[in-house]
Amino acid sequence: MSFTLARRAARMNPSVIREILKVTERPGILSLAGGLPAPESFPVEAMRAATERVLREAPREALQYAASEGYAPLREWVAAQLNEQGLAATPGQVLITTGSQQGLDLVAKVLLDPGSGVAVEAPTYLGALQAFAPYEPETISLPCDDDGPRLDALERARGARFLYLLPNFQNPSGRCMSAARRLAVADAAAAMGLPIVEDNPYGDLWFDSEPPPPLAARHPLNTIYLGSFSKVLAPGLRLGYVVAPPEVFPKLLQAKQAADLHTPGFNQRVVHEVIRDGFLREHVPTIRARYRARRDAMAAALARHLPPGCRWNAPRGGMFFWVELPEGVDAAALLPRAVERGMAFVPGAPFYAERPQANTLRLSFVTVAPEQIERGVELLAQALKEFA
Ligand code: N5F
């Protein structure tokens, strides 16, 4: 072998979610693992009609190389949308990315040196940890309570390059940060000179009431905000966006140019064509209703089947239940037993940057219908009883 790997390559790890996805593609496996949106909710007809219009009205522009910043009308749409939520952003601050996952990579590439501090919630989105790791940061985990990261722990993040937060229906915990905690964390971080990277793919998927305004609304110049079309339209489009203060926008843009020149212009035009006249105002409530029913089905199934000693949250939005198994039960060791029985989940340990809590797991309640949720949880409970 003549290849010498870069040091950053040694830090790269396979995504546990993607590895489990391979298993769950086998027929007959009931997957409560990946945060895969319900395929019935994909607006196939609207996409077909929009594709037709784009190919009729601007085929050559849509198929040509395009601007790295993104399709101007889509950037305008994103900025207008965020302004409605109280986040004062101009279209010039919006960078359209190839999924918000790319946004995480670009932010890390621009802000992290080897040894830089990056502060995260414990637990946090494992795909973000995977995106940050190659840049060789020192990751600092902040303990959290039901309202979000604990204020008394914030001091540990002093000097970090940024604090990565998921305020809305967090992946994996399902937690929604309270309004008071948002303001307190945003103010404290600004006072410490600690920038915030706010990742919000799930904010539109609320079941009871709309979440409080983003932290970015409080201190826009101290915050990089990430959004996604994956959960409100379709993840196969790979469309997300980063909203960045003018201080860092040019560097993110240069990183984007180097990574892939631009996000597919064809997809951007089709999506803009779908959403330009208010489509999401009708569409997103149908997703909420479907997911709310599935959340209820999973809450009922967990209460019915899981043995004593298990604990879980009741998410008020998003896609995930976070389950704590009895002390000493290793969810990663349980997974193959569950797969043998015909169901899959994501073990909790990879969501921790430090001190993994091995007796935790994540269940997605959005991908399959309520009857299958019931069956999946029953199989999980059977595997657990046999295992423990
Ligand atoms: O915008 P997109 O599709 O790139 O979403 C990436 C993303 C960014 N930030 C958070 C907090 C996320 O939860 C995600 C998507 N995560 C899903 C999950 O299951 O955790 C999808 C991962 C699916 C996969 O790896 O196949």
Side-chain angles (χ1 to χ4, degrees):
M1 286 294 206
S2 52
F3 294 100
T4 305
L5 288 180
R7 212 170 61 188
R8 84 182 70 82
R11 294 279 201 115
M12 293 174 185
N13 290 306
S15 154
V16 175
I17 301 175
R18 309 242 94 212
E19 293 297 304
I20 295 171
L21 265 182
K22 287 185 204 156
V23 176
T24 58
E25 274 165 9
R26 293 210 306 254
I29 299 279
L30 234 160
S31 178
L32 306 177
L36 276 56
E40 314 89 280
S41 73
F42 299 152
V44 178
E45 274 318 310
M47 291 290 301
R48 201 193 315 274
T51 304
E52 242 284 304
R53 281 201 300 280
V54 167
L55 286 177
R56 199 175 49 235
E57 287 162 20
R60 295 181 197 284
E61 296 86 338
L63 294 171
Q64 187 56 281
Y65 282 118
S68 297
E69 290 87 342
Y71 180 50
L74 188 62
R75 299 171 76 203
E76 281 159 27
W77 185 93
V78 168
Q81 193 71 14
L82 294 175
N83 279 288
E84 272 178 33
Q85 295 171 37
L87 202 175
T90 65
Q93 288 174 267
V94 178
L95 177 64
I96 305 292
T97 55
T98 308
S100 57
Q101 187 69 34
Q102 182 181 50
L104 293 169
D105 176 62
L106 298 180
V107 164
K109 192 180 242 172
V110 164
L111 294 181
L112 298 179
D113 286 313
S116 301
V118 53
V120 301
E121 296 163 274
T124 189
Y125 171 45
L126 67 83
L129 295 175
Q130 192 189 21
F132 302 159
Y135 303 100
E136 306 177 45
E138 292 297 331
T139 310
I140 303 149
S141 287
L142 301 182
C144 299
D145 59 28
D146 289 346
D147 285 337
R150 274 175 28 204
L151 279 173
D152 60 359
L154 217 53
E155 192 55 37
R156 295 181 53 195
R158 187 175 288 280
R161 293 284 170 88
F162 62 86
L163 165 59
Y164 172 66
L165 291 178
L166 284 157
N168 292 330
F169 317 119
Q170 204 236 18
N171 182 359
S173 70
R175 174 187 55 236
C176 191
M177 253 174 105
S178 69
R181 186 67 59 89
R182 288 173 198 235
L183 294 182
V185 169
D187 286 352
M192 287 164 74
L194 171 67
I196 289 175
V197 174
E198 178 170 20
D199 189 7
N200 183 26
Y202 302 109
D204 289 319
L205 306 181
W206 49 266
F207 305 147
D208 311 315
S209 56
E210 211 171 324
L215 283 82
R218 181 77 164 182
H219 293 292
L221 294 180
N222 196 46
T223 313
I224 296 176
Y225 178 93
L226 282 74
S228 177
F229 289 101
S230 289
K231 317 296 179 175
V232 293
L233 276 180
L237 296 160
R238 309 305 305 123
L239 275 189
Y241 48 90
V242 174
V243 182
E247 191 189 346
V248 279
F249 186 91
K251 286 294 159 194
L252 290 168
L253 179 61
Q254 289 158 25
K256 169 76 182 163
Q257 291 171 348
D260 63 355
L261 302 181
H262 66 84
T263 296
F266 185 75
N267 294 14
Q268 295 185 66
R269 283 172 186 261
V270 169
V271 163
H272 180 254
E273 197 58 36
V274 169
I275 64 181
R276 57 185 293 174
D277 295 325
F279 174 81
L280 291 179
R281 277 200 291 278
E282 315 252 300
H283 181 61
V284 174
T286 67
I287 303 178
R288 284 185 201 127
R290 177 176 274 122
Y291 288 4
R292 188 189 297 114
R294 292 180 182 194
R295 185 269 318 260
D296 293 346
M298 185 168 277
L302 290 168
R304 198 164 20 247
H305 297 296
L306 284 202
C310 297
R311 294 192 307 171
W312 57 89
N313 62 335
R316 290 182 290 123
M319 297 192 164
F320 306 112
F321 275 76
W322 182 241
V323 180
E324 262 185 64
L325 303 173
E327 204 67 42
V329 180
D330 180 351
L334 177 65
L335 178 62
R337 306 290 191 87
V339 170
E340 269 168 34
R341 286 189 173 266
M343 75 80 65
F345 59 82
V346 184
F351 293 93
Y352 291 91
E354 304 172 87
R355 292 182 301 281
Q357 221 177 303
N359 64 325
T360 54
L361 59 87
R362 190 192 80 174
L363 297 174
S364 161
F365 56 85
V366 304
T367 316
V368 299
E371 316 79 72
Q372 293 166 300
I373 291 174
E374 161 73 23
R375 180 69 187 142
V377 171
E378 191 181 2
L379 293 172
L380 169 64
Q382 285 172 8
L384 184 59
K385 283 172 193 158
E386 177 194 82
F387 183 76

